[in-house]
Amino acid sequence: MDTETLDIRQVGPTFAAELRGLDTANGLSARDAAALVGALDRFGVVVLPKQSLTPPQQIALCESLGPLENSDDGSPSFKELRRNLQFKDPRLSEISNLAQGEGILDKEDVRRLFLVANQLWHSDSTFRPIRARYTSLTAVKVPASGGDTEFADAASAYDALSADDKADIEGLVGIHSPTHVMDVMGATGPDGGGFVSTLTPQRRPIVEVHAGSGRKVLNVPSHCSHIEGMSIPEGRALLTYLREQATLPAFRYRHKWSPGDFVIWDNRSTLHRACRFQERKEARQLVRSVVQDVH
Ligand SMILES: O=C(O)CCC(=O)C(=O)O
């Protein structure tokens, strides 16, 4: 992307931008990749409208930013989430309520049950040994209403905390696991899809310094079950409070999808969640790929 032809416009209150003029057809040149990384460092969420990327184009674009996560790793349950895809590649998964891209999934389909947890605020793969740096989604089918993705700016939320809160949480470590959030949703039981994972819980600081911006951010996704060295109830109460602070309306951007949109976000500085829609009546299909947080 030639910075002269770069068109970037902030769309959220404190973060999130729409970017036009990027050549996305064949992966990104080193200069374009650096420009996109710069936009992600500054805005956390970047929307590229009307791209209609094919799965190989989405993979190539994301690989310009770093190695991609294998979506199957750590749980046979994750593998379910690309059963539909015609382009079978573990660097992709699917957020979809469709069976083979057509009819609506059965009520009991495990893919429905596992995706419900996306409605809780989270950042991706904090429960893996290598977390997600960026997640990208391409919209294939979108409902007429609802089904937005909502984002929260965890850096501005940190800045807005009181000095006492900042002092209280400095140095704390949270414990992250996928099983925790699936337990909360009841998705580990036999009538919840029987989610299983082989991943061991990960320790991560509650306050992190973002490598690209140097800003402090709150790392309090719903996958964080408790805080090291605190009783479980005390840690959960603090996590609930911090997650509320991180997702106050003043720090939110809500993306209303149009088919072909490509949205990419930085999981190190933002939280996100899926919004409800009429999923028994309307189709919603997004193709997902994730860039790992490696240096
Ligand atoms: O479906 C959505 O809007 C959000 C998807 C999501 O939470 C994810 O990809 O991690």
Side-chain angles (χ1 to χ4, degrees), residues 50-62:
K50 299 197 179 109
Q51 299 299 305
S52 297
L53 297 179
T54 62
Q57 284 174 323
Q58 182 167 353
I59 289 175
L61 189 161
C62 289

Side-chain angles (χ1 to χ4, degrees), residues 192-204:
F195 177 87
V196 286
S197 158
T198 54
L199 293 163
T200 51
Q202 298 295 313
R203 303 174 67 246
R204 300 197 179 276

Side-chain angles (χ1 to χ4, degrees), residues 95 118 122 124 135 137 148-149 265 272 274 284 286 288:
I95 310 282
N118 281 349
H122 63 286
D124 291 327
T135 301
L137 293 175
D148 305 341
T149 305
W265 63 87
H272 63 279
R284 183 175 191 263
L286 302 140
R288 179 178 191 269

Side-chain angles (χ1 to χ4, degrees), residues 143-213:
S145 66
D148 305 341
T149 305
E150 200 166 24
F151 297 92
D153 176 356
S156 296
Y158 175 84
D159 291 345
L161 290 179
S162 69
D164 281 345
D165 278 347
K166 286 179 182 165
D168 284 350
I169 63 176
E170 193 61 38
L172 294 182
V173 171
I175 308 299
H176 300 238
S177 92
T179 315
H180 168 67
V181 81
M182 290 303 195
D183 268 343
V184 167
M185 298 309 286
T188 50
D191 63 348
F195 177 87
V196 286
S197 158
T198 54
L199 293 163
T200 51
Q202 298 295 313
R203 303 174 67 246
R204 300 197 179 276
I206 296 287
V207 179
E208 293 181 318
V209 177
H210 187 274
S213 67

